[in-house]
Amino acid sequence: MPRKDYPETPDGRYFVSKGRLWRKTDPSLDDSERRAAVKALMQARRDVGRAETEAQERDARDRMDAAKKRLGERGPVWWDDGAPDETRKAPWNSSYAEWWDGLDDDARARGNPD
């Protein structure tokens, strides 16, 4: 599970944070590729905070996006069964509504800070 023990959908495609579904990293990535992409993502995030110009910030944000795509968290979905991408949807307004309703109060609280 993600670091903060967020609820994870039964199919392993998403975790829930702040009341939204967020796509997980493609599990088929080999460890070295995943590590390289995470390293690039973390560097780009630091660079956003250090940017002194709009151009520097834009470059850093573009590198963040590229790293997220390498991880499979953005761009084309990494599964092949035709299921749509439901990133950023509220789990109770998605195909995961029944699963969400079946979670205990503690699990839903971890995914929804309200």
Side-chain angles (χ1 to χ4, degrees), residues 11-102:
D11 57 16
R13 293 176 181 169
Y14 302 94
F15 67 93
V16 180
S17 174
K18 298 181 182 176
R20 297 288 178 238
L21 293 164
W22 298 100
R23 197 183 325 165
K24 294 182 66 184
T25 299
D26 181 348
S28 71
L29 288 179
D30 67 52
D31 192 52
S32 62
E33 173 62 17
R34 184 190 57 77
R35 285 175 178 248
V38 168
K39 184 176 180 179
L41 176 61
M42 295 299 107
Q43 183 61 55
R45 284 180 171 163
R46 285 189 295 273
D47 290 346
V48 167
R50 295 178 187 148
E52 295 179 2
T53 67
E54 286 183 31
Q56 289 173 337
E57 183 178 346
R58 179 75 266 145
D59 175 66
R61 290 191 183 280
D62 288 346
R63 288 185 286 117
M64 283 175 52
D65 187 58
K68 289 276 206 178
K69 287 177 179 174
R70 281 174 63 191
L71 289 165
E73 296 173 11
R74 291 188 184 156
V77 297
W78 44 260
W79 49 89
D80 59 6
D81 64 1
D85 185 9
E86 297 193 72
T87 301
R88 295 188 178 164
K89 285 188 174 183
W92 52 89
N93 288 330
S94 73
S95 65
Y96 297 98
E98 189 173 325
W99 163 78
W100 180 256
D101 289 341

